Amino acid sequence: MSGIALRSVLLAAATLMLGAAKPLTTTEVLAQSTPADWRALDPQRTLYLELPAGRVIIELAPEFAPNHVANILALVREHYFDGLAVMRVQDNYVVQWGDADNKREIHTAKKTLNAEFDRPAKGVPFTRLPDQDTYASEVGFSNGFAAARDSATGTAWLAHCYGAVGAGRDTDANSGGGTELYAVIGHSPRHLDRNVTLVGRVVKGIELFSVLPRGTGNLGFYEKPEQRVPLRLVRVAADVPETERTSLEIFRTDTAAFTAFVEARRTRTDEWFKYRAGRVELCNVPIPVREPAKR
Amino acid sequence: MSGIALRSVLLAAATLMLGAAKPLTTTEVLAQSTPADWRALDPQRTLYLELPAGRVIIELAPEFAPNHVANILALVREHYFDGLAVMRVQDNYVVQWGDADNKREIHTAKKTLNAEFDRPAKGVPFTRLPDQDTYASEVGFSNGFAAARDSATGTAWLAHCYGAVGAGRDTDANSGGGTELYAVIGHSPRHLDRNVTLVGRVVKGIELFSVLPRGTGNLGFYEKPEQRVPLRLVRVAADVPETERTSLEIFRTDTAAFTAFVEARRTRTDEWFKYRAGRVELCNVPIPVREPAKR
């Protein structure tokens, strides 16, 4: 099976690169990483959501949803989201925010867009994971985002892992557009893949969402307006004074260090593990994020 | 592939049984279910954890962890847990409770037990899912618990899905025993399968755990004792006066109705779905729980 062969290659790569006799632990891989294994967040595609409890930071994925990302940036810049609220928190599923009362006007942005459920696989980088997946023939990472591919259709799409951010829609596939967004706060609902336009993922602050009181209405909607959690302010990081930005670096997913990181997640050589799966599922590879050392 | 063949059989079963031209939705399957498709919780293997915010209900799995379950029942009945606390809440991972200060005495129960990571597959019922899994060659449900099997070793074990409850341990495999327990509140950490003794699952009230403030210490431990969330009282349901019990029924996992339910999760014929995966991953089949109608 190609999965087995690929695994051998990965093991060899990890071993060669770092000169170790056995695969490293994730801690060791990160400790041995170099500055080139990390990248700064691009402030032009980073959102800050200011909740009462703090800042949620979202990295957008224009490679996968260019129109939605452009529209969300336009919505943010016309202050569409400011003062709106989280109105749905469904346990083991999603938090959702937007214009619960459907009263907010839209000026320069669009209310709806055609779906961007998938895209041609050609042209997007893809670091493939060696293990089989329930939902897709190929899974891996593209520029830091969990993604999947299908060689039969030649398409690629983002995957619904923990923290993924998507554009809510009604029954019509083209009824979304970014005015209502959600983030995954439970087990990865991969059955939503290719059913919703994913636009990015939460890279910091997801716990500000995941601790919110669950809504008791249908689908986890809050039953009373006063239960909603206000979004004080939503900004593009580039529009925020540098002194107020959160400096973050993301572990790159196209490096030998990342391959070693994946192998560490697969083999778990830490002494605590008695049974080493030797496999890893897409959404069980959290991409490391760090605050860079002060200079 | 056997998965495809099995799927056809399942489809046929679902169609024949319910006389439908296309697979039903989960809502339709549950609406058409009969009383025989449900079972009451057995109060002798049900725990009530009384938190400040309400009751968390755990169904124990003695088929998979007989010694741990017997020990936990003994611990509960000697009031070991009463007044202890949740001392760890790690986002997208687990909540953990026990004797944070290591001061509580144990009387009739045992402090540690030999691991019960897996058991012979022979003798446990198993409703197999038709789709491939990253971690195990066979996955499915056994008496309402997500489980896995390996025909090569002839073993079966419980799977770490959302809500699964396990016995924390130190590095030694036999250092657990049930004095410290955890519940999964994030994406299923299936790499823990066969590394920890799973003892059951939360069937109601998991959201009382999943909204708890995340600990800011290493591994999500609370850094200050006053942050801990008290466990007022932990009881075996059978020891609670009937009038104070929570009446619950669990959807059986060994019925034709359950097969139809799984098929509904796989095919998603609801109009909202534009891309129907035709597959379902183990931890994406939540087992329905209901409060029985008053008589």
Side-chain angles (χ1 to χ4, degrees), chain A residues 89-105:
Chain A
V89 185
Q90 185 170 359
D91 194 65
N92 191 21
Y93 202 45
V94 296
V95 296
Q96 192 166 327
W97 61 96
D99 183 13
D101 297 321
N102 211 15
K103 283 183 176 169
R104 183 79 36 129
E105 281 183 26

Side-chain angles (χ1 to χ4, degrees), chain A residues 6-131:
Chain A
L6 184 51
R7 183 184 165 195
S8 304
V9 172
L10 285 173
L11 269 165
T15 305
L16 277 175
M17 178 188 61
L18 297 150
K22 65 173 185 177
L24 301 176
T25 65
T26 53
T27 307
E28 290 165 341
V29 171
L30 296 179
Q32 296 184 18
S33 68
T34 68
D37 295 323
W38 300 82
R39 62 179 170 86
L41 274 183
D42 176 356
Q44 293 291 351
R45 47 185 275 190
T46 301
L47 300 184
Y48 292 161
L49 280 62
E50 311 291 355
L51 300 184
R55 178 178 284 178
V56 175
I57 303 178
I58 294 172
E59 182 175 28
L60 297 167
E63 300 87 347
F64 284 88
N67 298 329
H68 279 72
V69 166
N71 202 47
I72 290 165
L73 291 172
L75 286 164
V76 168
R77 285 180 161 139
E78 65 172 68
H79 305 286
Y80 171 81
F81 290 105
D82 299 354
L84 293 183
V86 174
M87 73 287 217
R88 175 191 183 192
V89 185
Q90 185 170 359
D91 194 65
N92 191 21
Y93 202 45
V94 296
V95 296
Q96 192 166 327
W97 61 96
D99 183 13
D101 297 321
N102 211 15
K103 283 183 176 169
R104 183 79 36 129
E105 281 183 26
I106 295 174
H107 305 286
T108 60
K110 299 211 170 81
K111 176 101 179 146
T112 62
L113 290 174
N114 286 339
E116 294 175 296
F117 295 161
D118 58 14
R119 59 152 287 160
K122 199 173 170 181
V124 284
F126 196 79
T127 303
R128 188 176 170 185
L129 292 184
D131 304 305

Side-chain angles (χ1 to χ4, degrees), chain B:
Chain B
M1 312 285 276
S2 65
I4 305 294
L6 183 52
R7 185 185 164 193
S8 303
V9 171
L10 284 173
L11 269 165
T15 306
L16 276 175
M17 179 187 61
L18 297 150
K22 66 172 183 176
L24 301 176
T25 65
T26 54
T27 307
E28 290 167 340
V29 171
L30 296 179
Q32 295 184 19
S33 68
T34 68
D37 295 322
W38 299 81
R39 62 180 169 86
L41 273 183
D42 175 356
Q44 293 292 351
R45 48 185 274 191
T46 301
L47 299 184
Y48 292 161
L49 279 63
E50 311 292 354
L51 299 184
R55 178 177 286 178
V56 175
I57 302 178
I58 293 172
E59 181 175 28
L60 297 167
E63 300 87 347
F64 284 87
N67 298 330
H68 279 72
V69 166
N71 202 47
I72 289 164
L73 291 172
L75 286 164
V76 168
R77 285 181 161 137
E78 65 172 69
H79 304 285
Y80 171 81
F81 289 105
D82 299 353
L84 292 183
V86 174
M87 73 288 217
R88 176 191 183 191
V89 184
Q90 187 171 358
D91 194 64
N92 191 23
Y93 201 46
V94 297
V95 296
Q96 192 166 326
W97 62 96
D99 183 13
D101 296 321
N102 210 18
K103 284 184 178 168
R104 183 78 39 127
E105 283 183 23
I106 295 173
H107 304 287
T108 61
K110 299 211 171 78
K111 177 101 178 146
T112 62
L113 289 175
N114 286 337
E116 294 175 298
F117 294 162
D118 59 12
R119 58 151 289 160
K122 198 172 172 184
V124 284
F126 197 80
T127 303
R128 188 176 171 184
L129 292 184
D131 304 307
Q132 69 182 16
D133 178 78
T134 300
Y135 291 97
S137 58
E138 298 181 14
V139 291
F141 289 89
S142 183
N143 286 335
F145 294 96
R149 291 196 308 198
D150 183 349
S151 55
T153 58
T155 54
W157 58 93
L158 294 180
H160 277 82
C161 293
Y162 194 84
V165 175
R169 67 164 171 86
D170 295 326
T171 304
D172 183 339
N174 301 324
S175 60
T179 59
E180 205 161 298
L181 296 168
Y182 65 89
V184 172
I185 57 158
H187 181 73
S188 56
R190 295 279 309 282
H191 52 282
L192 298 180
D193 290 3
R194 288 185 275 183
N195 279 296
V196 195
T197 301
L198 286 176
V199 301
R201 75 175 185 102
V202 175
V203 291
K204 188 175 169 68
I206 184 71
E207 71 281 3
L208 303 183
F209 278 148
S210 57
V211 300
L212 292 178
R214 276 44 178 161
T216 50
N218 193 24
L219 301 175
F221 279 90
Y222 290 132
E223 296 186 86
K224 298 174 188 167
E226 60 266 32
Q227 294 173 304
R228 295 176 193 156
V229 179
L231 281 177
R232 194 167 57 78
L233 196 62
V234 178
R235 290 175 295 179
V236 182
D239 301 345
V240 173
E242 276 204 45
T243 52
E244 294 174 31
R245 291 187 201 163
T246 306
S247 200
L248 285 185
E249 290 182 343
I250 314 283
F251 198 51
R252 291 180 56 163
T253 54
D254 58 351
T255 60
F258 182 70
T259 300
F261 181 80
V262 168
E263 197 52 35
R265 293 286 296 184
R266 298 176 78 238
T267 54
R268 299 284 186 159
T269 56
D270 326 45
E271 194 187 351
W272 187 87
F273 282 88
K274 307 307 174 189
Y275 177 83
R276 298 181 169 93
R279 308 178 190 182
V280 73
E281 189 242 320
L282 178 64
C283 298
N284 266 325
V285 183
I287 306 301
V289 175
R290 70 178 185 186
E291 299 193 25
K294 306 278 182 208
R295 275 156 229 179

